[in-house]
Amino acid sequence: MTLLTCQHEAEIRRLLQLGHWPQSCTADLRTHAETCRACGDLVLLTQAFQGARAVSIRNSEERQAELGSSLPAPGVLWWRAQLRRRNAAVKQIQRPILGAQIFAFALTLLVAAGLLVSQARHGVQWLAWLESLPQAQAFHWEVLWSSASALKTSASLGYLVPGAVLLALVSGVVAYLATEKQ
């Protein structure tokens, strides 16, 4: 590469960019491009790149013709990619949340069953109407709640409710930490 530029280089560059080389140039300019190394290299490289670009465009058009349809707009492709990414994130987040909901439902059922057993053992008045039924004479709660009769400790609501609340809080923290790691 030389530091000095040729005086005809700008004119040859303009003709090459417009696509008018060598048809609309003078014979002197063509002769100069053949003898001047800088101008000859400029012509050679520019024509090689323009030929490669033309071949690439032609191949791209043929490929699109083979596919039968043109590609969607880039904005549509970006929107679809963002939608897929968001749906994948929602799906990944929903798995532990569903597990936590199932655990909380099972825990609620367990606490409700424990509360019913506790209240039935201690003879709360809201179950007194069962005794007034005609079949209540032959119906024994101890048979139905054999596990309740096996428990001889007096589990009161003062211990049962705070224990259930503490268990729910701990399970919520565990579910939160499990989702944070993923």
Side-chain angles (χ1 to χ4, degrees):
M1 179 174 165
T2 61
L3 296 176
L4 301 174
T5 59
C6 180
Q7 62 182 354
H8 297 290
E9 187 175 347
E11 183 180 0
I12 291 174
R13 185 182 312 272
R14 186 178 57 80
L15 288 171
L16 284 167
Q17 286 176 347
L18 294 175
H20 297 295
W21 181 265
Q23 297 85 5
S24 64
C25 67
T26 62
D28 300 348
L29 201 54
R30 270 186 256 140
T31 306
H32 172 75
E34 292 172 3
T35 58
C36 178
R37 182 173 179 185
C39 293
D41 289 345
L42 177 67
V43 169
L44 179 67
L45 286 174
T46 305
Q47 286 180 339
F49 283 134
Q50 286 175 347
R53 183 174 185 260
V55 168
S56 176
I57 289 172
R58 191 173 342 114
N59 288 343
S60 175
E61 289 172 353
E62 288 174 1
R63 199 172 317 128
Q64 280 187 351
E66 289 174 3
L67 293 175
S69 65
S70 63
L71 294 174
V76 172
L77 292 175
W78 180 84
W79 178 75
R80 286 179 184 169
Q82 293 299 321
L83 190 62
R84 283 188 189 119
R85 183 185 58 81
R86 191 176 326 131
N87 287 343
V90 167
K91 191 175 184 180
Q92 183 179 6
I93 288 172
Q94 283 179 346
R95 284 187 215 129
I97 290 175
L98 179 64
Q101 288 174 340
I102 291 171
F103 178 73
F105 181 69
L107 187 64
T108 303
L109 288 179
L110 184 67
V111 168
L115 181 64
L116 280 174
V117 167
S118 171
Q119 293 302 313
R121 278 192 69 214
H122 294 293
V124 175
Q125 297 303 319
W126 57 271
L127 290 177
W129 64 274
L130 287 175
E131 295 174 2
S132 65
L133 294 175
Q135 295 97 4
Q137 306 297 333
F139 190 77
H140 297 285
W141 282 103
E142 289 78 22
V143 174
L144 183 61
W145 304 106
S146 61
S147 63
S149 63
L151 294 175
K152 296 299 180 193
T153 62
S154 60
S156 68
L157 285 177
Y159 295 120
L160 186 63
V161 171
V165 169
L166 182 65
L167 186 61
L169 284 174
V170 169
S171 64
V173 169
V174 167
Y176 174 75
L177 292 175
T179 58
E180 280 296 311
K181 288 181 181 178
Q182 294 177 357

